[in-house]
Amino acid sequence: MPKTNNVKSRHRFLIPNKYNFCVHEVARPVYQVWLNCRVGHKHINLSGVDDYHKPPIRLIETKTGFQYYYAFERMQNIMQFEANDRQPFIISEHKSWHIKKMAWAEVLQLAFIRDVNHALLWHTLKSDCPTTILLELMQTASLTRKDYTEFVGIELDHLEYQQRQIVAQQESLGLPNDMSWANESSE
């Protein structure tokens, strides 16, 4: 059977503290969104897990080191808690569209973490994420608040309450009041 996929991946085990790791330039703005919207929570320590059973992360190899474009939480844990341990990585080719999609999927995963600010996350996704990517990741035909709440599994009232909290906070701080995003139709 002929091979139709041109992506050539290689598995490698690397010790992170011996190499230069950074976020891929295509995923850097998405990583910043992830940093702004994430909620602090406990991590799972995988340092005692056998190398072959740890989840591998895709990287892109450059002349100066390696770049990652998704698995932001896992990479943060590796760099903070497991930098001296051998980690499984898959070295793959650079494909900008796939990098964007994987990076935004990582941000969208934040919607399923307890205590996330859904109003901030939804506003950020609507304003920064390319519409085609968001539609594909959410598997929906439109991008309304109702679509988001159904995707995440929360009540529309919960999202609207968080939006009102942001409005109240902005008014108390004297910030400009652009509420066009809160008046969006829920259907």
Side-chain angles (χ1 to χ4, degrees):
M1 180 181 242
K3 196 173 189 180
T4 58
N5 189 356
N6 293 334
V7 176
K8 297 175 185 172
S9 297
R10 298 173 290 157
H11 291 274
R12 291 197 32 203
F13 287 96
L14 303 172
I15 299 173
N17 69 3
K18 295 184 178 183
Y19 298 93
N20 183 21
F21 286 90
C22 65
V23 179
H24 192 279
E25 63 269 1
V26 171
R28 220 170 266 139
V30 183
Y31 177 68
Q32 191 61 49
V33 167
W34 180 83
L35 286 173
N36 292 339
C37 294
R38 73 188 171 114
V39 176
H41 61 278
K42 294 187 182 255
H43 75 283
I44 298 171
N45 185 357
L46 294 178
S47 59
V49 176
D50 184 79
D51 297 346
Y52 292 97
H53 293 93
K54 292 178 185 175
I57 298 170
R58 289 190 182 275
L59 299 175
I60 295 171
E61 190 169 14
T62 65
K63 293 177 182 174
T64 58
F66 297 93
Q67 296 179 333
Y68 60 98
Y69 50 92
Y70 79 107
F72 301 137
E73 183 79 27
R74 179 73 187 119
M75 283 302 296
Q76 183 180 36
N77 290 339
I78 286 172
M79 301 309 275
Q80 190 171 3
F81 304 110
E82 304 171 41
N84 297 324
D85 300 334
R86 203 168 75 139
Q87 301 292 332
F89 295 103
I90 299 172
I91 312 304
S92 60
E93 294 179 352
H94 172 90
K95 303 281 186 193
S96 291
W97 183 250
H98 297 293
I99 289 172
K100 280 183 185 178
K101 208 181 322 185
M102 288 298 295
W104 281 111
E106 190 75 18
V107 172
L108 192 56
Q109 280 293 325
L110 293 174
F112 301 107
I113 295 176
R114 184 173 50 190
D115 297 332
V116 72
N117 185 333
H118 289 285
L120 173 64
L121 181 59
W122 181 236
H123 175 64
T124 304
L125 286 168
K126 288 263 312 207
S127 61
D128 295 345
C129 182
T131 304
T132 54
I133 290 177
L134 194 53
L135 287 169
E136 183 179 343
L137 292 175
M138 289 178 55
Q139 299 176 2
T140 185
S142 61
L143 296 175
T144 64
R145 291 184 296 177
K146 186 174 189 221
D147 292 320
Y148 175 78
T149 57
E150 287 175 0
F151 175 75
V152 175
I154 61 171
E155 296 293 325
L156 184 59
D157 294 340
H158 181 76
L159 178 64
E160 290 172 345
Y161 174 77
Q162 286 187 343
Q163 288 176 330
R164 285 192 302 273
Q165 293 297 101
I166 291 174
V167 172
Q169 184 180 20
Q170 286 178 345
E171 287 175 354
S172 70
L173 295 174
L175 297 173
N177 197 6
D178 174 18
M179 292 305 302
S180 59
W181 56 274
N183 295 328
E184 162 192 313
S185 155
S186 62
E187 295 188 30

